[in-house]
Amino acid sequence: MNLYIVTGTTRGLGAALAQRIAADPSNELIALARAPDAPLPGGARIEADLADGAALERACDRVESRIRGKRYAKAVLFNTAGVVAPVAPLDAIDPDALERNLLVNLAAPMRLMRRFLRMTEGVAGLARIVNISSGAGRRPVSGWSAYCAAKAGLDMASRVAALEAQSRGRAVEVVSLAPGVIDTAMQGEIREAAVTDFADVERFRRMKAEGALRSADDVAAEILALEAAGRLAAEPVADLRQIAGG
């Protein structure tokens, strides 16, 4: 049996990953989302507000209780949830929105990585962490100061976690994966930004109009195929398009 813990499963890439994971009877799925607790095909959803550190720790306690005493061939954490807002020049953004962005996009994934590494030691033969990053963490985008900074931080946190696992001889693989541009609600939010807040907005509108966005389900299928083949963690910071094309 394999364990998959996935965040952001109410929509977008997280929902697509969860649906595909649940379709395999050899997988147990634990979804972390802001939606209320509920049974899911293949597992369960646990309510968790990623912007609330104490609430997230309580959710992790519940995950740990759920898997206690079990044994898995592998355990995989997908840190998929993310927010792009606030989109505006740094001197114009709301400070509370800035803080929430960093909590959801960086602090929460790091908290989850920490708890996942602790709870899966001795429980899973192999532990994998897949942090969904972005090209915006590797190049500056005007109007995205919070998002760019958070994703750059996630890339570096992944590098450090991978280095620590290697130095300690643990069977842990970590990758911060940029998946490319996906047709999600986040992309819709980006396209609605004012050009005064996001100078590159017209390019994103053209990508949608020209059909250049990939579906969340197609990307999820590609990620899971590469994960199953053990091809995601050759480098701790990676681009899905390069791995799939290699």
Side-chain angles (χ1 to χ4, degrees), residues 95-109:
D96 291 335
L98 166 63
E99 182 177 9
R100 183 174 188 275
N101 184 297
L102 297 176
L103 287 171
V104 172
N105 291 331
L106 179 57

Side-chain angles (χ1 to χ4, degrees), residues 113-129:
M113 289 166 69
R114 170 186 174 272
R115 291 297 300 268
F116 178 79
L117 290 169
R118 292 165 67 94
M119 73 175 67
T120 57
E121 188 167 15
V123 172
L126 171 67
R128 286 189 174 128
I129 297 172

Side-chain angles (χ1 to χ4, degrees), residues 57-133:
E57 291 294 335
R58 290 193 295 272
C60 288
D61 289 342
R62 296 178 60 200
V63 173
E64 192 164 359
S65 295
R66 185 179 177 87
I67 69 172
R68 186 174 294 121
K70 297 181 180 180
R71 179 73 184 176
Y72 300 96
K74 68 178 179 182
V76 184
L77 169 65
F78 276 103
N79 272 316
T80 310
V83 294
V84 69
V87 176
L90 180 57
D91 60 352
I93 63 178
D94 177 76
D96 291 335
L98 166 63
E99 182 177 9
R100 183 174 188 275
N101 184 297
L102 297 176
L103 287 171
V104 172
N105 291 331
L106 179 57
M110 291 185 70
R111 280 182 180 270
L112 285 164
M113 289 166 69
R114 170 186 174 272
R115 291 297 300 268
F116 178 79
L117 290 169
R118 292 165 67 94
M119 73 175 67
T120 57
E121 188 167 15
V123 172
L126 171 67
R128 286 189 174 128
I129 297 172
V130 183
N131 294 320
I132 299 301
S133 184

Side-chain angles (χ1 to χ4, degrees), residues 166-201:
Q166 182 181 37
S167 65
R168 295 165 65 185
R170 286 197 60 183
V172 175
E173 298 176 357
V174 185
V175 63
S176 192
L177 184 70
V181 187
I182 310 172
D183 195 4
T184 63
M186 182 185 291
Q187 282 293 317
E189 182 181 348
I190 291 167
R191 292 192 298 272
E192 291 174 0
V195 69
T196 52
D197 291 333
F198 179 35
D200 208 20
V201 66

Side-chain angles (χ1 to χ4, degrees), residues 11 13 117 157 163 197 215:
R11 62 182 189 176
L13 180 59
L117 290 169
L163 179 65
D197 291 333
S215 75

